[in-house]
Amino acid sequence: MCEQCGPVDGAADAAEEEAIGGEPGRRVTSRRRLLLGAGAGLAVAVGGVPAFTRAASAATLKDGRWCNPARGRFPSGGHYGAPRGSYPHAGQDVSNSTGTAVYAAAAGTVVRRGTAVLSGRTGYGLVLSHGGGLYTYYGHLSVFRVALNAAVTAGQRIADMGATGNVTGPHLHFEVHSGGLGPTVDPVAHLAARGVDLGGGWPAIAPGASGATVRAVQHLMTQRGTALVADGVYGPVSVDAVKRFQSSRGLVADGVVGPKTWPGLVPSLREGHPGSHVRGLQTLLNKHSAGIAVDGSFGAVTDSATRAYQRANRLVADGLAGPVTWEALAG
Ligand SMILES: [Zn+2]
């Protein structure tokens, strides 16, 4: 975790580092358990601060435009609003090893890149502007993979996780700014409202969504027997197909491709398995900067891209696109 967001209270930080160092087991507590704790702590820590994500109309925000910036765990005390001296923690920490891929959480432009690019933050950081006064910040990076002023797509690899700056170990410090660069919101809640599970998990894609993940769903549905045009628009024809698929599986037929629907949609694939589902895989690999042909042929190139993705996300690099790899790619 880190001291992000404001002047550092040296004494408090030292005490915190000691506490964490002495309790390594706490680092691997499940993210969801920590999330529950984080929510409770937040109300206390920043109860008087007005900058919060609205929970309203969550379904309409699950439009496929946002995605998980990095795979990892939530370290103890790394939640939004955690006490950091006289300032609450401005982001959510996601722990993994140095070199783990960091992706753009949404399409945007790189508006800051360097060291200490925001007041009080340390180490290498990036700021993306997403328009409409929305920004995301990625801190403690080890490697930049995009240039300043570059336009990026959602899911594009923008950097590698690291431990630069004032940290106790490698992690991504992830912030969401709303209403301009400065006022932050809880990044976990911000992404959850948009169908994204920060740190890893199946996304939720609602009717009306668009983008690469929708294209992947359309390819997967085609493989399941309902030929869909892979136009990346989750319109009525695609939604009806998904609803029928959900009914056939005994699921709630709401047309939302979420954590209960995804596992039934994705097959386990490896080299030598051609088909439309491979196009789905290739589409999601490309969303994450693979740059391969979407040809439905799982050959050496797709195998290599799958392994590279797995390595970059700290998965078993066996070239087998199974549920864990699909979940990471879809998220
Ligand atoms: Zn942090």
Side-chain angles (χ1 to χ4, degrees):
M1 74 150 94
C2 57
E3 90 305 333
Q4 294 290 359
C5 87
V8 178
D9 178 332
D13 266 24
E16 201 162 59
E17 288 185 19
E18 192 173 279
I20 290 170
E23 295 185 58
R26 292 180 62 189
R27 284 172 171 261
V28 294
T29 308
S30 86
R31 290 188 307 107
R32 285 178 177 80
R33 279 188 59 198
L34 288 168
L35 179 54
L36 292 172
L42 189 61
V44 174
V46 294
V49 177
F52 269 111
T53 303
R54 299 166 307 282
S57 60
T60 60
L61 297 176
K62 294 172 183 173
D63 58 9
R65 292 182 189 175
W66 288 75
C67 64
N68 177 32
R71 284 179 53 76
R73 300 175 303 277
F74 288 176
S76 178
H79 55 276
Y80 179 70
R84 291 287 190 281
S86 52
Y87 289 80
H89 189 224
Q92 171 65 54
D93 294 342
V94 178
S95 292
N96 212 322
S97 53
T98 293
T100 302
V102 174
Y103 302 104
T109 305
V110 181
V111 293
R112 295 192 189 183
R113 196 193 94 148
T115 52
V117 294
L118 290 176
S119 173
R121 279 69 163 179
T122 61
Y124 292 127
L126 277 175
V127 176
L128 301 186
S129 169
H130 305 290
L134 266 179
Y135 297 83
T136 50
Y137 170 73
Y138 309 77
H140 306 308
L141 306 169
S142 58
V143 174
F144 295 125
R145 292 181 180 269
V146 285
L148 185 63
N149 300 321
V152 299
T153 55
Q156 180 177 338
R157 189 169 182 178
I158 55 173
D160 290 5
M161 201 179 281
T164 58
N166 188 352
V167 297
T168 56
H171 70 275
L172 171 68
H173 169 94
F174 178 68
E175 297 179 15
V176 177
H177 295 233
S178 182
L181 195 52
T184 60
V185 297
D186 180 354
V188 176
H190 178 89
L191 291 182
R194 288 153 182 79
V196 175
D197 194 0
L198 178 58
W202 294 109
I205 304 291
S210 60
T213 308
V214 173
R215 278 205 307 284
V217 167
Q218 291 167 325
H219 285 306
L220 289 166
M221 286 301 302
T222 295
Q223 184 68 25
R224 295 279 169 194
T226 307
L228 296 175
V229 177
D231 59 3
V233 178
Y234 195 35
V237 174
S238 295
V239 172
D240 284 349
V242 168
K243 285 181 177 177
R244 288 197 299 278
F245 173 78
Q246 290 173 320
S247 292
S248 75
R249 296 294 176 114
L251 301 170
V252 175
D254 58 4
V256 177
V257 185
K260 290 183 177 171
T261 301
W262 277 106
L265 270 182
V266 298
S268 285
L269 296 174
R270 61 164 69 251
E271 188 168 0
H273 288 176
S276 195
H277 42 13
V278 177
R279 289 192 181 87
L281 176 69
Q282 292 165 330
T283 298
L284 291 178
L285 286 167
N286 283 346
K287 178 178 179 177
H288 296 295
S289 304
I292 61 176
V294 179
D295 60 3
S297 170
F298 201 137
V301 173
T302 301
D303 177 71
S304 174
T306 300
R307 290 172 193 265
Y309 176 82
Q310 290 170 325
R311 273 194 300 276
N313 287 275
R314 305 317 188 223
L315 303 170
V316 177
D318 56 4
L320 171 68
V324 175
T325 297
W326 277 105
E327 183 187 69
L329 281 164

